[in-house]
Amino acid sequence: MQPKVALVTGSSRGIGRGIALRLAADGCKVLINYRSGAAEAAAVVEQIGGAGGEAAAFQADVTEGAAVEALVQGCLERFGRLDVLVNNAGITRDGLLMRMKDEDWDQVLNTNLRSAFLVSRAVMRPMMRQRFGRIINIASISGLSGNAGQCNYAAAKAGMVGLTRSLAKEAGARGITVNAVAPGYVPTDLTHDLPEALLAEAVKATPLGRLGTVEDIAGAVSFLASDDASFITGQVLRVDGGMVF
């Protein structure tokens, strides 16, 4: 079998970077997507190449339809096919709802949810033609249980869950599975501003007694992208140490 080709949005750093590295280690060819971190994306490509894998980087703002179409077309031109999509791009703009600015709501919904809609739509045609595909959305436990100060982020991630379940029903007949991974607290650039007291409370509320790691999330994505998960679709896999049931 020829190697799978994976596209990971927002994969120049953080969880996206870890997912890209893991999929490359699994034997996938990987397209690294970034919006502004060109140097970081190049470093990921170099690391994958140094380990014997194959990767390329592609700049695209995945909140813009034309840029997304160019991204997917670029992947097809570079690698000839597209088997795995990981919708990972995301930002936070935390604050209490009564003080939240319109732009903080719009930016989070656009980056976290609109992008997943745009990229998923763009990959459907090539995946349907080859009658195979894996779409994996990076949601969050915030989208399942809510989180004070994150109405915008929680709403976007809850929307990803609805997108996941609906698209799974649309795409299953063509051999395409659609699932979501819902991470708990994972130290990355996205969470580095969280107060130490909050992180300590998160550890206390986690039965396994620790924060998550990028590798924990990447391992879950690896499984859902594999042939072992071929009969799993429309599911949300919580990777949170037991914080949310």
Side-chain angles (χ1 to χ4, degrees):
M1 294 179 63
Q2 57 184 319
K4 292 175 182 170
V5 175
L7 164 60
V8 185
T9 67
S11 50
S12 64
R13 58 182 181 173
I15 289 175
R17 174 182 177 276
I19 291 170
L21 293 175
R22 175 58 188 267
L23 292 177
D26 291 342
C28 292
K29 300 177 182 180
V30 185
L31 188 67
I32 307 300
N33 161 248
Y34 67 98
R35 184 175 62 179
S36 58
E40 292 92 338
V44 180
V45 171
E46 183 177 358
Q47 185 172 349
I48 290 173
E54 185 177 351
F58 198 106
Q59 191 280 332
D61 182 343
V62 289
T63 68
E64 299 180 359
V68 166
E69 293 294 335
L71 170 65
V72 172
Q73 186 59 35
C75 183
L76 295 172
E77 291 175 357
R78 174 68 173 77
F79 295 115
R81 60 186 291 121
L82 176 53
D83 303 288
V84 180
L85 166 65
V86 183
N87 283 310
N88 167 78
I91 61 170
T92 57
R93 296 288 186 271
D94 294 349
L96 296 176
L97 182 68
M98 64 182 295
R99 300 174 183 167
M100 187 173 289
K101 299 177 181 177
D102 291 357
E103 54 265 32
D104 291 337
W105 176 272
D106 291 341
Q107 287 176 7
V108 169
L109 268 290
N110 284 338
T111 303
N112 296 24
L113 182 56
R114 175 180 166 83
S115 68
F117 153 65
L118 289 174
V119 187
S120 296
R121 184 178 64 180
V123 305
M124 285 303 295
R125 186 165 283 107
M127 285 185 176
M128 290 175 71
R129 278 200 299 264
Q130 64 196 25
R131 301 191 71 84
F132 178 89
R134 300 279 189 268
I135 298 176
I136 303 162
N137 296 319
I138 305 302
S140 169
I141 59 168
S142 294
L144 303 177
S145 62
N147 200 22
Q150 286 194 318
C151 284
N152 49 1
Y153 185 77
K157 294 302 186 178
M160 291 186 79
V161 171
L163 172 66
T164 297
R165 290 172 172 158
S166 297
L167 184 55
K169 293 182 176 182
E170 292 185 14
R174 294 300 185 99
I176 302 167
T177 66
V178 189
N179 294 287
V181 172
Y185 284 92
V186 178
T188 65
D189 291 345
L190 199 66
T191 59
H192 77 280
D193 288 332
L194 293 177
E196 288 297 324
L198 178 59
L199 295 177
E201 284 298 316
V203 171
K204 188 182 298 185
T206 303
L208 290 184
R210 67 172 176 87
L211 298 177
T213 67
V214 168
E215 290 74 22
D216 291 328
I217 311 308
V221 172
S222 171
F223 167 67
L224 291 173
S226 74
D227 293 338
D228 290 334
S230 62
F231 200 54
I232 298 173
T233 195
Q235 303 304 307
V236 181
L237 177 57
R238 296 168 178 154
V239 186
D240 63 355
M243 179 180 284
V244 176
F245 288 97

